[in-house]
Amino acid sequence: MAERSTLTGPSGRGQPDPATGPHPLAPPSPPAPAPGRPPGFAGSLPGGLLLTVRPRQWVKNLLVVAAPAAAGQLAAVQTVLELALLFVLFTAAASAVYLLNDARDAEADRAHPDKCRRPVAAGTVPVPLAYTLGSLLALVSTAAAALLCNAATAALLAAYLLMQIAYCLRLKRVLVVDLAVVTAGFVMRAMSGGLALGIPLSRWFLITAGFGALFMVAGKRYSEALLMGEGKGGTRALLREYTVGYLRFVWQLAAGAAVLAYCLWALGTDAGVDASLCRQLSMVPMILAVLRYAVFIDRGTAGSPEDVLLRDRPLAVTAVCWGLLYGLSVAGL
């Protein structure tokens, strides 16, 4: 009887033994429930819509001032107003893409440890509503660009939307192309200010912006791969195809190319005039910023670049120092 008690547990009814796990005849455990709606405003429909359009990522659209700032043309009121309009248009376009992307990926997002909390995946925002609002924002932003901006800017915004929608539908599942598309989205933002104001875009500006964007995009993918585990894609199927070693190679290559292009610009000459001292010194905080951000990538904590950029104080101080030196160089000092 003692032996029978050992095999069947204290009650004699086939209860699991802590050392051996569940009894083979026990019913399977029910699946984990989907994450519920968060409490408060975040769990309401307006709060869910606000979270879905990602206000924290609107900071990316500040890249529209990159080309005018590089050319030192931010003093005029008309310039500031045109760039503010451009910021609003790109924010609306990006919000449309976020809504459409989350509606399409709602099921896959539920498998991700963090993205399962997105309002569409959690059920706070209905999928049909996300599709409808995303489509409306895309149409309105494109029409507004055609009416209020020049032809080049309107064409760029339309191309951005088409590329991002193609990314949501298909391109996010094509190796390397997915990295190129996301990188191109950053570069388009950086180009838009120059096109809107008729400012020529230098080759060094485009190279630095392109490889700098690739550095952040590949770093984000690398962090996600470390979080999910190599060969496990979760909400990004391509993470099963990329190896951690390959993504590390991409972000390190992009960081080196961006730094090299910036240094060549900072040490170069414009119309036969040597670069100013402040322009040359701006290389120091720029390189330090890349090295600082690389720490977070290497740790696998750069999955949300906006969090790193907004919350890391040393990185913010380095960015301010770079901005001051760059501003002085534009002023001719």
Side-chain angles (χ1 to χ4, degrees):
M1 294 298 293
E3 182 178 2
R4 182 168 179 255
S5 175
T6 302
L7 291 175
T8 60
S11 65
R13 297 180 182 178
Q15 295 182 357
D17 186 280
T20 60
H23 191 276
L25 298 180
S29 301
R37 297 188 179 187
F41 178 70
S44 66
L45 181 58
L49 288 173
L50 182 62
L51 291 176
T52 303
V53 298
R54 302 179 185 38
R56 289 188 304 171
Q57 298 200 23
W58 292 353
V59 67
K60 298 175 184 177
N61 299 317
L62 290 176
L63 283 171
V64 300
V65 309
Q73 299 187 22
L74 290 179
V77 175
Q78 182 63 28
T79 297
V80 175
L81 293 177
E82 290 184 15
L83 291 177
L85 172 62
L86 198 57
F87 173 83
V88 171
L89 290 177
F90 262 96
T91 299
S95 298
V97 174
Y98 292 141
L99 285 162
L100 295 173
N101 179 75
D102 284 8
R104 180 172 175 80
D105 289 349
E107 190 64 33
D109 283 347
R110 296 187 181 104
H112 194 278
D114 293 326
K115 295 179 181 180
C116 64
R117 301 183 182 91
R118 287 179 173 176
V120 181
T124 307
V125 176
V127 171
L129 179 61
Y131 273 125
T132 301
L133 291 181
S135 301
L136 286 176
L137 274 177
L139 293 174
V140 169
S141 60
T142 304
L147 293 173
L148 303 175
C149 302
N150 58 31
T153 305
L156 181 70
L157 186 67
Y160 169 83
L161 272 169
L162 290 174
M163 183 182 70
Q164 295 299 323
I165 292 173
Y167 174 82
C168 295
L169 295 176
R170 171 60 182 162
L171 298 182
K172 65 165 61 178
R173 291 180 286 275
V174 181
L175 280 170
V176 181
V177 173
D178 71 309
L179 298 177
V181 169
V182 180
T183 300
F186 284 96
V187 177
M188 285 180 169
R189 290 179 175 95
M191 292 173 57
S192 63
L195 292 178
L197 300 176
I199 299 172
L201 301 171
S202 74
R203 63 183 183 276
W204 295 122
F205 173 82
L206 294 174
I207 293 173
T208 303
F211 280 105
L214 180 59
F215 167 58
M216 299 187 71
V217 171
K220 179 178 180 178
R221 293 289 191 273
Y222 177 81
S223 294
E224 290 177 338
L226 289 182
L227 175 66
M228 300 298 298
E230 187 167 0
K232 298 179 181 180
T235 189
R236 294 190 190 276
L238 277 187
L239 287 183
R240 293 192 293 267
E241 305 295 331
Y242 288 123
T243 64
V244 171
Y246 175 78
L247 292 172
R248 175 184 285 272
F249 160 75
V250 175
W251 71 256
Q252 289 178 341
L253 172 67
V259 167
L260 178 60
Y262 186 88
C263 291
L264 289 174
W265 169 81
L267 296 173
T269 59
D270 293 329
V273 180
D274 291 337
S276 66
L277 178 61
C278 288
R279 177 166 154 177
Q280 296 177 27
L281 289 177
S282 70
M283 293 187 299
V284 177
M286 194 271 183
I287 295 171
L288 289 177
V290 171
L291 293 176
R292 177 74 183 179
Y293 190 80
V295 171
F296 295 95
I297 296 178
D298 194 56
R299 291 175 180 171
T301 56
S304 297
E306 64 278 3
D307 289 343
V308 176
L309 296 175
L310 295 175
R311 296 181 181 178
D312 185 61
R313 186 170 299 175
L315 187 59
V317 172
T318 304
V320 170
C321 292
W322 173 84
L324 289 174
L325 288 171
Y326 189 89
L328 291 173
S329 71
V330 171
L333 300 177

